[in-house]
Amino acid sequence: MGACGSKKIVIDAAEVMSEANKHAKDHGATSLHFTKLQVSHMADLFNKLNDGEKSCTREQFKNIFNFDDESLDVLYDAFDTDHSGTLELAEMISGLSFLCRGSVEEKLRFLFTVYDADGSGFLEHSELLPMFQKLTDQLVSLETASKRRNNEIGKANESDEAVLKSQSKVKELADEFKAISDLDGDGKISYEEFENYMENNELCRKFLQIMSETGNTLREENTNFS
């Protein structure tokens, strides 16, 4: 999806919903988990805060929600599925649908499409290091934000976080994933193999859990899509 344009638009909730629904289905959802009224509310807020543009910057995105910056940074990067550097309305609504209302399987399918950088339908060995680097970075950021919200920041162990984000740990995770999932050695890992690993690896289960907790908290603190 492209960069911010200069043309003002009039929001058509039905059109926005159709675009967001297509985006969600393209990234593994059964459907969009918002009503037309909820989409209309989000579209109005989106456009009021970014001067009517069809896409927004990171700072504009943060102004839309009542939430912490650390979590919103993670969500902005996750929702920007085409890696354009800006976030379109359909990407935002689709991403929120996955995060706040999607099943575990839908979240996994969304992550798989994001990590499958070349869109081949498989994870290749060259995509594994970036995948685990992103996963560990996001896990640490979301956990830190959660602890701050719950006044538990003193319990954070910075040395453990540094180890988790280190290149050696990321490589260890990627090598383990390869060894467990790519049994035929063809260099390709299917969604089914990815799903099995994510559901059985302790760190990945923790990541899925903190994603769900973040989505629930975001819903509670922002009534436009609750």
Side-chain angles (χ1 to χ4, degrees):
M1 319 225 169
C4 293
S6 58
K7 186 179 180 181
K8 304 289 184 183
I9 60 169
V10 176
I11 288 295
D12 181 330
E15 181 181 342
V16 170
M17 189 161 187
S18 176
E19 291 174 354
N21 191 50
K22 181 181 185 305
H23 187 276
K25 287 183 175 180
D26 286 347
H27 289 80
T30 54
S31 65
L32 190 71
H33 301 305
F34 290 126
T35 66
K36 184 177 178 180
L37 181 60
Q38 288 168 327
V39 169
S40 180
H41 285 164
M42 285 187 279
D44 287 344
L45 184 59
F46 183 94
N47 280 270
K48 284 176 185 175
L49 293 176
N50 72 354
D51 300 322
E53 302 290 353
K54 294 189 76 171
S55 55
C56 68
T57 65
R58 185 180 299 271
E59 290 309 309
Q60 289 168 329
F61 175 72
K62 290 180 180 180
N63 289 332
I64 294 173
F65 299 100
N66 175 34
F67 212 49
D68 63 89
D69 277 1
E70 281 172 304
S71 296
L72 290 175
D73 273 326
V74 170
L75 300 184
Y76 185 90
D77 291 333
F79 295 170
D80 180 22
T81 52
D82 65 349
H83 312 295
S84 66
T86 58
L87 195 63
E88 291 201 3
L89 181 54
E91 287 180 312
M92 185 189 84
I93 293 174
S94 171
L96 289 170
S97 178
F98 279 107
L99 179 74
C100 300
R101 296 178 178 270
S103 65
V104 171
E105 181 179 357
E106 286 179 320
K107 286 182 174 69
L108 284 171
R109 287 192 179 277
F110 175 79
L111 290 171
F112 185 83
T113 64
V114 171
Y115 296 146
D116 177 20
D118 62 2
S120 66
F122 294 91
L123 293 179
E124 297 166 8
H125 288 181
S126 61
E127 294 170 324
L128 298 186
L129 280 175
M131 166 185 151
F132 280 106
Q133 187 67 70
K134 184 176 292 187
L135 188 152
T136 53
D137 286 349
Q138 291 176 341
L139 173 59
V140 168
S141 294
L142 291 177
E143 274 199 312
T144 301
S146 176
K147 287 172 181 175
R148 283 207 178 95
R149 286 195 300 271
N150 295 305
N151 296 315
E152 297 175 346
I153 194 62
K155 297 179 182 180
N157 189 321
E158 293 183 3
S159 62
D160 286 349
E161 291 176 359
V163 169
L164 181 59
K165 294 173 70 173
S166 68
Q167 287 299 310
S168 58
K169 181 61 177 178
V170 169
K171 185 176 185 307
E172 177 188 324
L173 289 166
D175 289 343
E176 178 189 71
F177 182 40
K178 238 186 309 190
I180 292 174
S181 302
D182 186 18
L183 297 179
D184 59 6
D186 67 352
K188 295 181 178 180
I189 296 166
S190 68
Y191 169 74
E192 289 73 22
E193 291 167 326
F194 168 80
E195 179 184 37
N196 182 63
Y197 181 84
M198 292 290 287
E199 290 182 340
N200 289 285
N201 177 272
E202 181 180 358
L203 180 71
C204 295
R205 288 201 309 270
K206 189 176 183 182
F207 177 63
L208 291 171
Q209 180 182 353
I210 196 69
M211 275 186 62
S212 295
E213 290 174 0
T214 300
N216 290 337
T217 307
L218 186 65
R219 281 178 61 185
E220 291 169 3
E221 297 188 10
N222 294 269
T223 58
N224 286 313
F225 52 94
S226 60

